[in-house]
Amino acid sequence: MTPTTTPGLALRLALRGDLLDFTGAPEWGATESPVVRFRPDHWLLIEGGRIVGAQAEAPDSSWPRHDHSGQLILPGFIDTHVHSPQLDVIASYGTELLDWLDTYTFPAEQRYAEPAEAEAGAARFLDALLAHGTTSAVVFPTVHKASTEALFAAAQARGMRLITGKVLMDRNAPDGLRDDVTQAERDCVDLIDRWHGTGRLSYAVTVRFAPTSTPAQLAMAGALCRADESLYMHTHLAENRAEVQWVRELFPEARSYLDVYARAGLLHRRSVLAHGIWLDDEDRALLCRCGAQIAHSPSSNLFLGSGLFGWRAAERAGVHVSMATDVGGGTSLCQLCSLQDAYKVQALAGERLTAWKGLHAATLGAAESLLLADEIGSLEPGRMADVCVWDWASGPVARRRLSVARDLHEKVFAWMTLGDERNLVATYVAGLRVPV
Ligand SMILES: [Zn+2]
């Protein structure tokens, strides 16, 4: 889909700073990579909401400008799996996934039945994303049609690239959070007609996870995907061992958890599956064949004690991997925090996640996995000017560490590891600076 610019966008803007983005996928473990594009003290030129170029010399005086010299300019982060109603349950004590859903999450989601609550929550959530350096996201609202409407409307008002859809749940969920196949299908069709392809918005057929949908509902979701291949599909997969066991009991005919989705016709190039921790080689081969992506959510996986994602095995199998916060299972909306945890998860497996591999998975890699690389994820001319400006260091420890970095990877890795949203200086969406 071709993104559109909305009236009122700044016509021209030049941003000065240290430009960092990727022109391809870095190799695993390589701290030097030809696809890393670092242009220190350059000017990023923006016209009509899009990037039109970058240059070392200052543009002529006709260009309005923001001087961020000495600061880092990156494409806005893309969060491929996050829950808008879960800011209220972030940092909740003492449970694993299934208890966490019952104890904290479902009660929070029940409140979104009230449209005013959903509207206020959507605004709060999107403003928080922008204040954490994330300009695009793939989002779970709730089962309520009004919460999806509210999220789409709030994203449109902010000019953000957003992918979301009404959550499907017709069993194993409390009162007020269950739909049924007929009504759910009607709601999905209405929402798709109204929002899919409107401005920078896309619809995702959003199955919460296999245990909360009947086979009939999964089949309906699969039929929606088959009817329009431009739709995304968003769900959870093999996050927690007790969950995997439950799926085995509910779907004895399926070879694996992933096979439940395959049988329902839910696996395709625009499928986004969160977690994917407990997979085998056959699952990974299937993910590769269908082109689906894993939204890796390391902070959530550590916080809920779910398990350690085998990124290297996924990489070897050719599976797309993108970065996600999974708030509220995750503990921060900031993708720098996700990357810090991703590094630690890989370290426990004896692997090393480079800053390049990590940052690519939160920018261009995520954009490519979502088939949106012509719109977001890099500083290439023609892309929408969704960019964030970051302080290289915040506080005396980081300032000292950055000052003694010997090469670019060392410097960027220290920034990634020591930084968080307190490093964020400015967020631009389609070339407009937004309040953060
Ligand atoms: Zn999730």
Side-chain angles (χ1 to χ4, degrees):
M1 154 189 359
T2 307
T4 54
T5 49
T6 44
L9 288 182
L11 283 180
R12 278 173 137 198
L13 183 64
L15 302 181
R16 182 184 188 181
D18 300 332
L19 311 183
L20 176 64
D21 69 340
F22 298 90
T23 58
E27 271 180 47
W28 189 271
T31 55
E32 285 183 33
S33 170
V35 301
V36 176
R37 180 164 55 179
F38 183 62
R39 292 171 286 183
D41 197 18
H42 270 56
W43 292 86
L44 186 70
L45 305 181
I46 297 166
E47 218 166 340
R50 290 178 190 273
I51 294 164
V52 293
Q55 59 191 44
E57 63 278 8
D60 69 57
S61 59
S62 70
W63 285 81
R65 61 199 63 207
H66 294 168
D67 191 340
H68 297 294
S69 50
Q71 296 172 322
L72 182 59
I73 299 181
L74 256 85
F77 285 135
I78 301 162
D79 187 340
T80 55
H81 177 69
V82 59
H83 298 253
S84 61
Q86 291 184 15
L87 294 188
D88 291 1
V89 299
I90 190 171
S92 291
Y93 172 77
T95 51
E96 289 199 358
L97 173 67
L98 300 177
D99 286 343
W100 176 82
L101 287 171
D102 289 335
T103 309
Y104 299 113
T105 307
F106 287 157
E109 295 190 8
Q110 278 166 326
R111 293 200 284 275
Y112 277 56
E114 178 55 49
E117 179 82 16
E119 224 168 275
R124 194 162 54 233
F125 169 75
L126 294 179
D127 288 342
L129 278 186
L130 295 169
H132 287 74
T134 292
T135 50
S136 299
V138 187
V139 185
F140 264 68
T142 66
V143 71
H144 312 104
K145 186 183 182 191
S147 83
T148 317
E149 290 273 3
L151 194 57
F152 273 128
Q156 189 178 43
R158 286 159 182 75
M160 290 175 73
R161 157 48 74 179
L162 200 90
I163 299 168
T164 190
K166 182 201 113 62
V167 178
L168 298 169
M169 290 204 277
D170 67 346
R171 66 168 169 176
N172 295 322
D175 290 348
L177 285 186
R178 285 188 311 277
D179 53 16
D180 61 65
V181 177
T182 308
Q183 185 60 45
E185 184 176 23
R186 207 173 295 142
D187 288 350
C188 289
V189 168
D190 283 353
L191 288 163
I192 291 164
D193 283 349
R194 169 79 183 84
W195 294 106
H196 184 55
T198 299
R200 304 185 68 191
L201 308 173
S202 293
Y203 194 86
V205 174
T206 304
V207 174
R208 175 161 221 124
F209 66 154
T212 45
S213 284
T214 57
Q217 188 172 62
L218 294 175
M220 181 274 284
L224 287 174
C225 290
R226 269 193 304 279
D228 181 351
E229 65 175 27
S230 70
L231 293 172
Y232 289 87
M233 195 288 293
H234 187 196
T235 191
H236 295 90
L237 168 69
E239 174 177 0
N240 164 290
R241 275 174 289 197
E243 171 212 12
V244 172
Q245 179 57 33
W246 193 20
V247 170
R248 200 173 291 137
E249 290 160 16
L250 289 169
F251 300 91
E253 70 286 2
R255 192 200 73 79
S256 67
Y257 192 151
L258 183 67
D259 188 42
V260 174
Y261 297 142
R263 285 161 174 259
L266 291 167
L267 297 185
H268 50 78
R269 184 62 187 84
R270 287 185 170 81
S271 299
V272 182
L273 302 121
H275 308 298
I277 295 170
W278 305 99
L279 303 179
D280 61 19
D281 287 346
E282 212 169 308
D283 291 328
R284 282 185 278 267
L286 174 55
L287 286 171
C288 176
R289 279 201 304 281
C290 66
Q293 69 180 292
I294 296 292
H296 174 35
S297 311
S299 300
S300 170
N301 300 159
L302 293 171
F303 185 73
L304 294 177
S306 301
L308 306 176
F309 173 63
W311 192 334
R312 192 74 195 276
E315 167 103 358
R316 284 202 185 102
V319 178
H320 298 283
V321 177
S322 56
M323 285 304 304
T325 65
D326 192 26
V327 162
T331 47
S332 172
L333 283 177
C334 187
Q335 286 280 48
L336 290 176
C337 300
S338 300
L339 291 167
Q340 291 154 25
D341 284 335
Y343 180 84
K344 294 168 193 169
V345 166
Q346 294 313 306
L348 282 168
E351 295 286 351
R352 296 290 173 258
L353 182 71
T354 64
W356 308 143
K357 195 80 201 166
L359 289 168
H360 174 263
T363 55
L364 180 62
E368 285 177 340
S369 298
L370 294 168
L371 297 174
L372 292 174
D374 58 350
E375 179 188 340
I376 54 174
S378 77
L379 304 179
E380 197 66 33
R383 307 302 176 265
M384 295 300 280
D386 295 346
V387 298
C388 290
V389 184
W390 302 84
D391 272 329
W392 276 104
S394 168
V397 173
R399 272 198 293 279
R400 172 63 187 168
R401 180 64 187 91
L402 272 286
S403 74
V404 297
R406 291 160 302 178
D407 61 38
L408 183 64
H409 184 266
E410 188 175 330
K411 186 174 176 183
V412 174
F413 183 78
W415 170 74
M416 183 182 100
T417 303
L418 299 173
D420 59 27
E421 70 277 10
R422 285 168 290 191
N423 293 58
L424 187 70
V425 174
T427 299
Y428 296 84
V429 175
L432 287 181
R433 187 166 180 169
V434 299
V436 294

